[in-house]
Amino acid sequence: MNASRPILGLLLDVDGPIASPITRTINLPSIAQDLATLANAGVPIAFNTGRSDAFLREVVVPPLLAAGLADDVRLYGICEKGAVWFGFSAAGVDELSLDQDVAMPEGYGDVIERLVDERYAETVFFDHTKRAMVSVEQHVEVPAADYAAVRKHFDDDARAELARRGFGVEHAPGRYPDDAGLVQYRIDPTIISTDIESVRLGKDLGAERALELLEADGGALPLAWRTVGDSRSDYAMADWLFEHGFEVAHVDVRPADGVPEKPYPVLTHPTLIHDEAGAAFLARWVAMVQGTATDDADVS
């Protein structure tokens, strides 16, 4: 084994495995502590999320700093599924990079904000922190079942507005091309939000951005990667790594949606989901780095 290379690298979705989908915060103190411990031990860590850079700076970074992130350690934030990216350390957050080419059409966000104000304000709020995507999010106090019932209607309205502007839309399980047969944008609902985005964005692009940042810093690529998420779209991180020749396993912290067949291992917790499952895997990875566990195949 090459001792100069870390045994693991982590690509982490934020909502679900790190931040509670109920509180939208890092609700379990062990998560920040274990992340800091892993980073300080030389494990490359990138947060690969649909969230905005503001969310990472306000919700994720402060607990990591409070947990004792070492001065010479750098982590990475890949936001809006690859549209925005940056590095950060105990010294602060780097200047942001933004790919303007994947931004939503001018004026579309204003229309969606008015739509929220007029029809959906009791259920969702418009996310003003997004730079490229257009997103709405469930109010914390709204029950999940109530949100799910409203979300479909909002998503249909958002798709109709794109179609009115002449754009093609991918909106699972359907595909609605423009007059030329093309699709430029995607409507991607989650359990707490809807993201409206360029089809060029995705967790695979986020994985590519993360490795570019790590290599630009001269960081050693790890012997193996773990990707972590709570939705089917998060598997794209592991797909990209596997397709580019990296050893990888994906951790699914919400497997109730169904675990797809993959050419790499998929790990789940036998009883825990969301951030509780995320915390259990982080604790095992700390044990692996410290030499008190050999693998993460049987986290319980």
Side-chain angles (χ1 to χ4, degrees):
M1 181 179 295
N2 187 343
S4 67
R5 295 175 61 187
I7 65 170
L8 281 179
L10 302 179
L11 287 180
L12 307 173
D13 181 32
V14 172
D15 282 312
I18 302 300
S20 164
I22 297 173
T23 66
R24 323 283 166 83
T25 64
I26 296 182
N27 196 44
L28 300 175
S30 69
I31 287 178
Q33 185 59 64
D34 286 345
L35 284 168
T37 298
L38 289 164
N40 291 345
V43 172
I45 298 175
F47 300 98
N48 187 11
T49 178
R51 285 289 191 178
S52 67
D53 58 277
F55 185 89
L56 255 66
R57 287 186 281 108
E58 294 167 9
V59 175
V60 176
V61 174
L64 281 172
L65 299 183
L69 195 65
D71 291 343
D72 60 345
V73 167
R74 282 173 55 75
L75 293 85
Y76 307 98
I78 316 298
C79 302
E80 301 187 46
K81 302 176 187 174
V84 180
W85 61 99
F86 60 92
F88 67 93
S89 67
V93 175
D94 297 350
E95 184 177 352
L96 303 176
S97 295
L98 168 64
D99 185 352
Q100 293 280 9
D101 291 340
V102 294
M104 293 300 296
E106 184 176 357
Y108 179 77
D110 296 333
V111 172
I112 296 303
E113 185 175 9
R114 287 196 297 273
L115 178 67
V116 169
D117 290 343
E118 293 170 2
R119 302 185 194 176
Y120 299 105
E122 293 184 357
T123 307
V124 302
F125 63 90
F126 183 86
D127 187 347
H128 289 96
T129 67
K130 295 295 179 74
R131 301 176 187 269
M133 296 164 49
V134 170
S135 299
V136 302
E137 184 173 334
Q138 168 198 9
H139 290 298
V140 172
E141 67 274 10
V142 171
D146 293 352
Y147 169 65
V150 169
R151 184 185 63 200
K152 181 185 185 305
H153 299 292
F154 169 82
D155 293 352
D156 288 344
D157 286 344
R159 187 184 77 216
E161 177 59 29
L162 282 169
R164 188 185 70 78
R165 291 166 175 256
F167 295 114
V169 186
E170 177 183 302
H171 183 196
R175 186 175 183 273
Y176 307 86
D178 64 12
D179 291 342
L182 303 176
V183 168
Q184 297 86 10
Y185 298 105
R186 175 192 304 120
I187 294 176
D188 185 18
T190 77
I191 61 171
I192 61 170
S193 66
T194 290
D195 294 329
I196 310 164
E197 62 202 31
S198 166
V199 294
R200 293 167 56 191
L201 297 177
K203 293 302 182 74
D204 48 351
L205 177 61
E208 182 178 1
R209 301 270 197 226
L211 265 70
E212 288 172 350
L213 285 171
L214 179 61
E215 291 180 315
D217 279 345
L221 293 179
L223 296 169
W225 286 94
R226 293 294 182 269
T227 60
V228 189
D230 71 336
S231 68
R232 301 296 73 79
S233 62
D234 289 316
Y235 281 81
M237 294 186 278
D239 292 344
W240 188 91
L241 288 164
F242 182 83
E243 289 164 5
H244 287 79
F246 295 98
E247 180 183 338
V248 62
H250 182 71
V251 176
D252 190 335
V253 301
R254 191 167 60 89
D257 281 356
V259 175
E261 289 289 332
K262 292 292 180 181
Y264 48 79
V266 176
L267 308 177
T268 62
H269 195 282
T271 58
L272 302 177
I273 61 171
H274 296 146
D275 52 333
E276 291 184 337
F281 276 96
L282 285 168
R284 175 61 66 87
W285 294 328
V286 168
M288 289 168 59
V289 167
Q290 294 176 341
T292 59
T294 58
D295 60 45
D296 54 1
D298 61 346
V299 173
S300 61

